[in-house]
Amino acid sequence: MTRTPNGSCQKPGKFLNEIESKQLLKQAGLTVTEPFLANSDSEAVAIACSLGYPVVLKVVSPDIIHKSDAGCVITRLTDPEGVRHAYNNMMSNLRQNYPEVAIDGISVQSQAPRGVEVIIGMIRDIQFGPAIMFGLGGVWVELLKDFSLRIAPLYEEDASEMIHELKGFKLLQGYRGQPAADTEIIEDWLLKVSELVMLNPSIKELDINPVFVYPNGAVAVDARVLLEDTPLIA
Ligand code: ADP
Ligand code: MG
């Protein structure tokens, strides 16, 4: 492993950037906040205007894997001036703090309304094959290690069990007056991710983090895919 300037570890293989990763998920039938690449502040403003506000700006760089750790995610931008400002601030932060990283540009995407945050992931184990992971976002996975795992291919009962066996399942059922999250869509996405990774052995790892789940539907707001150095089949 080699270390990238923002401190993250580069694994052997090739990371698809957020734009490419979300394209893959979209083709697999998941809903995403689609990012569009801008190479100037005016381009960013033009994209934001066509998407409608609020928007989110993020760096697109093969060297920056954890974007917010590098100060490269700016959310809740509500007007052209804010977008222009955020674009130029992010660029000058990058030039100053990470002068050696390659920058493809800055992406602009719609800001999704808050939902219950969940994570869907996959790590391909050499012996067991693709292990699909599901958990609630933030501290639930990172601190409390509350996640479920199954080896793909998943069947409907696997997907359902993966959701129900979480210690934090109550959070999805609607906690303190919150409406229940759409667990059917999560089941459906777990099955779709299973199918995607079964069809594409070149996907080594996949991380959809976070997914916002609503009472009706869900949206993936960030995604990262690690490929073998061999091409995708589908
Ligand atoms: P990182 O590379 O650091 O994981 P993310 O793309 O996940 O970066 O962005 C960090 C956080 O910003 C997310 O966990 C989410 O809370 C918020 N965020 C990112 N994109 C969006 C979006 N399109 N809509 C709403 N919130 C977003
Ligand atoms: Mg993320």
Side-chain angles (χ1 to χ4, degrees):
M1 281 193 204
T2 53
R3 209 154 256 287
T4 58
N6 73 334
S8 61
C9 285
Q10 197 100 51
K11 300 184 179 176
K14 177 191 182 306
F15 274 107
L16 296 185
N17 66 31
E18 185 184 342
I19 300 176
E20 298 160 336
S21 302
K22 282 181 169 172
Q23 211 57 45
L24 197 65
L25 296 182
K26 201 176 145 187
Q27 281 165 19
L30 274 58
T31 305
V32 300
T33 45
E34 200 168 344
F36 297 90
L37 191 68
N39 285 113
S40 69
D41 57 356
S42 314
E43 258 178 44
V45 169
I47 296 167
C49 288
S50 68
L51 288 173
Y53 291 94
V55 294
V56 177
L57 261 55
K58 304 186 196 179
V59 72
V60 181
S61 160
D63 300 325
I64 299 179
I65 306 304
H66 300 286
K67 301 174 291 293
S68 44
D69 290 354
C72 291
V73 176
I74 304 180
T75 58
R76 296 176 201 288
L77 298 165
T78 53
D79 55 36
E81 224 17 72
V83 170
R84 201 176 290 282
H85 207 242
Y87 182 99
N88 292 315
N89 271 350
M90 202 184 287
M91 275 300 184
S92 58
N93 159 36
L94 285 163
R95 275 192 214 106
Q96 210 173 340
N97 297 314
Y98 308 105
E100 66 278 45
V101 307
I103 309 290
D104 294 332
I106 289 177
S107 75
V108 185
Q109 63 191 269
S110 295
Q111 165 106 30
R114 279 241 156 252
V116 180
E117 280 192 33
V118 304
I119 300 172
I120 297 175
M122 186 281 297
I123 294 176
R124 200 173 287 274
D125 183 89
I126 296 171
Q127 283 185 340
F128 295 109
I132 312 254
M133 184 275 246
F134 173 68
L136 293 163
V139 296
W140 287 91
V141 166
E142 282 166 32
L143 288 183
L144 304 174
K145 310 285 177 227
D146 183 23
F147 57 86
S148 49
L149 267 183
R150 290 288 185 287
I151 304 295
L154 299 185
Y155 298 96
E156 274 172 33
E157 56 270 31
D158 299 315
S160 170
E161 280 170 20
M162 285 179 80
I163 297 166
H164 286 84
E165 74 189 35
L166 288 188
K167 291 191 201 83
F169 173 65
K170 281 206 170 113
L171 217 70
L172 293 168
Q173 285 180 305
Y175 178 69
R176 292 207 169 163
Q178 296 293 313
D182 188 347
T183 48
E184 273 179 31
I185 197 110
I186 307 174
E187 286 187 30
D188 179 57
W189 282 26
L190 286 168
L191 296 173
K192 283 181 168 143
V193 166
S194 165
E195 198 181 331
L196 175 71
V197 300
M198 290 306 290
L199 282 172
N200 292 282
S202 55
I203 301 178
K204 281 174 77 174
E205 287 182 21
L206 181 146
D207 187 29
I208 318 174
N209 181 6
V211 176
F212 290 172
V213 191
Y214 305 113
N216 246 311
V219 63
V221 304
D222 187 29
R224 231 181 321 269
V225 171
L226 180 68
L227 291 184
E228 295 277 2
D229 287 324
T230 49
L232 278 177
I233 297 165

